[in-house]
């Protein structure tokens, strides 16, 4: 019952913060967020899973299955459990939520209790997404994440917040509907082979060749249709090109703490689901479509980087960089090697930390200067040395500087993709994707040179000085965690590898 306790504690914390007067909300929210953080760290310390949660002959940690609703011939169950893929993402979720709450102390000055309550409610839903193993309950958590994100952007966002929030909701809801129909059709197509919507039961029945088809749709066609529907649903959430247009608007209008959660964790819902559904349950279709999937990943890398190169808003630069980084994840997944899929999973964590650091640093600069435009700023390094220094370190993390988490993740992805036997022309795809690093370095160095160095010339009617300690301290914590994962990737990679190897074996048998 440890996972249930973690979700329940987080929901109770959200309720307590909702009921707290605004003037006390930020401190109560910070204290409340420590409960799920400590809880997830305890789960991590007791973690003893072996293998992959969806595949046979695996031992899932903290597993609990209780039949909830029976609708003949199917049953819906509360089924939770963690493996080496989900455990790091739950730790990432609780870790970033606490830091995002601290980063909100300066910019959020209205309706604080509602803001922090929604942040904690979203955290509980995120834990549910990464822990659930029954599709219908998992889908409830999946959709529950959208509600606080929509409100956080729409109420506390910038001047075009309503447009950005509605655009975000429409894109993600349409994608969710298509994904839902695709998966349910797959389960119905299995006929009597499964009597639940459980992800492990579905995966093992599909792998055993139990698919009968649905109506006039044959098994092979149904597999492809289910793959395309779920891939579309998750690709919008990632997002990959050409489904990315909601992301820059959402980031630009969202307050800094919400951008941290959006880029740091919510985008990982899409890549996590792609790994679970498309590259584990429907792996044979993924292998058959390896070339177009890899092309989507590489195009996302290059196109996202080119779009970032053309931006003047620091927040838009970081937002488009996320599209590029998620392209690397797609390339790693489709490689079907231990380092490819393992590196992609590691990149989910690494990018969550690095993008969180970058958005937080940009937010600190905006709090002091009230602008994010590159053309308006110059010489900030003299006035804000600590925040600027950490922003530079985060940029180096994005560029893949050795001994930082981004380098370890990208090195594993490139090595895994280059050595792929599943992906035709793997070296060419890898080489083109690696060129994205050059573009990333170009636009980040260009932006930093213009905003941070040279003569200070920002004209304001107030003095720009060093950011307060509570704004800078989370930056140091994030930077240390990025360096720790870069120096010792086995902090997470060992457990990731244990969960990834059974997926790679599926690809090897194809």
């Amino acid at each position: 019952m440890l996972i249930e306790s973690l979700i329940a504690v987080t929901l109770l914390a959200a309720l307590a913060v909702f009921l707290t007067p605004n003037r006390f909300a930020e401190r109560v929210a910070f204290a409340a967020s420590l409960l799920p953080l400590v809880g997830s760290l305890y789960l991590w310390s007791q973690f003893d899973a072996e293998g992959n949660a969806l595949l046979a002959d695996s031992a899932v940690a903290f597993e609990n299955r209780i039949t909830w609703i029976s609708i003949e011939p199917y049953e819906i169950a509360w089924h939770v459990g963690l493996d080496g893929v989900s455990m790091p993402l739950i730790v990432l979720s609780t870790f970033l939520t606490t830091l995002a709450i601290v980063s909100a102390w300066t910019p959020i000055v209205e309706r604080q209790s509602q803001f922090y309550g929604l942040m904690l409610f979203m955290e509980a839903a995120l834990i549910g997404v990464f822990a659930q193993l029954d599709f219908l309950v998992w889908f409830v958590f999946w959709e529950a994440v959208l509600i606080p994100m929509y409100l956080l952007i729409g109420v506390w966002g910038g001047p075009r917040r309503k447009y950005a929030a509605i655009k975000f909701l429409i894109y993600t809801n349409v994608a969710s509907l298509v994904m839902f129909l695709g998966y349910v059709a797959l389960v119905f197509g299995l006929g009597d082979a499964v009597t639940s919507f459980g992800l492990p039961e579905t995966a093992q029945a599909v792998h055993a060749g139990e698919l009968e088809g649905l109506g006039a749709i044959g098994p092979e066609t149904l597999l492809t249709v289910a793959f395309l529907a779920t891939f579309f649903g998750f690709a919008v959430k990632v997002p990959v090109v050409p489904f990315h247009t909601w992301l820059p608007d959402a980031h630009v209008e969202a307050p800094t703490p919400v951008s941290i959660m959006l880029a740091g964790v919510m985008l990982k819902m899409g890549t996590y689901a792609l790994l679970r559904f498309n590259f584990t349950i429907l792996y044979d279709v993924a292998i058959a479509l390896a070339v177009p999937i890899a092309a989507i990943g590489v195009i996302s890398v290059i196109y996202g980087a080119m779009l970032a190169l053309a931006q003047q808003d620091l927040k838009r630069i970081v937002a488009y960089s996320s599209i590029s980084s998620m392209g690397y994840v797609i390339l790693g997944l489709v490689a079907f090697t231990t380092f490819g899929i393992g590196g992609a999973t590691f990149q989910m964590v690494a990018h969550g930390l690095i993008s969180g650091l970058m958005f937080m640093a940009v937010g600190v600069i905006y709090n002091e200067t009230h602008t994010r435009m590159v053309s308006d700023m110059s010489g900030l390094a003299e006035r804000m040395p600590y925040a600027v220094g950490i922003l530079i370190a985060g940029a180096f993390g994005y560029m893949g500087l050795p001994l930082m988490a981004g380098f370890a993740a990208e090195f594993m992805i490139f090595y895994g993709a280059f050595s792929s036997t599943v992906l035709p022309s793997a070296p060419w795809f890898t080489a083109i994707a690696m060129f994205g690093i050059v573009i990333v370095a170009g636009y980040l160095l260009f932006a930093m040179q213009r905003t941070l160095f040279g003569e200070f010339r920002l004209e304001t009617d107030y003095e720009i000085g060093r950011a307060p300690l509570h704004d800078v301290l989370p930056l140091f914590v994030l930077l240390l965690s990025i360096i720790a994962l870069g120096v010792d990737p086995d902090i997470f990679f060992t457990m990731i590898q244990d969960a990834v190897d059974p997926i790679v074996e599926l690809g090897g048998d194809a």
Side-chain angles (χ1 to χ4, degrees), residues 1-13 35-36 39-40 42-43 61-68 77-82 90 123-125 127-128 130-133 137 141:
M1 298 294 284
L2 290 177
I3 296 174
E4 290 86 344
S5 300
L6 183 61
I7 296 173
V9 164
T10 311
L11 287 174
L12 289 174
L35 298 176
S40 68
Y42 176 75
L43 290 182
F62 318 114
E63 185 173 19
N64 187 25
R65 189 183 191 283
I66 302 171
T67 300
W68 180 21
W78 173 270
H79 188 188
V80 292
L82 302 180
I90 286 182
E123 181 185 19
I127 294 170
F130 297 129
Q132 261 297 334
L133 297 174
V137 184
F141 282 115

Side-chain angles (χ1 to χ4, degrees), residues 71-117:
I71 306 174
E72 292 295 336
Y74 296 101
E75 65 177 29
I76 302 170
W78 173 270
H79 188 188
V80 292
L82 302 180
D83 64 4
V85 172
S86 50
M87 187 71 250
L89 293 173
I90 286 182
V91 175
L92 175 71
S93 302
T94 58
F95 181 62
L96 277 186
T97 301
T98 298
L99 296 181
I101 284 175
V102 176
S103 75
W105 289 9
T106 297
I108 304 302
V109 294
E110 294 181 343
R111 288 177 281 195
Q112 293 95 329
S113 59
Q114 291 96 329
F115 180 88
Y116 294 117

Side-chain angles (χ1 to χ4, degrees), residues 259-271:
S259 287
I260 293 169
M261 295 303 296
L262 178 60
V265 187
M266 187 173 287
L267 303 189
K268 311 307 175 294
M269 290 168 55
T271 49

Side-chain angles (χ1 to χ4, degrees), residues 400-422:
L401 190 74
L403 300 182
M404 301 184 82
F407 172 81
E410 291 174 6
F411 176 80
M412 286 188 276
I413 289 174
F414 292 147
Y415 178 74
F418 188 85
S419 58
S420 174
T421 57
V422 168

Side-chain angles (χ1 to χ4, degrees), residues 273-303:
L274 280 173
L275 176 55
R276 287 294 198 209
F277 289 75
N278 298 89
F279 293 91
T280 302
I281 298 176
L282 303 168
Y283 74 95
D284 47 355
V285 185
I287 292 172
L289 298 177
V291 170
I293 293 172
I296 290 173
V298 172
I299 290 171
S300 296
V301 170
I302 302 299
Y303 190 63

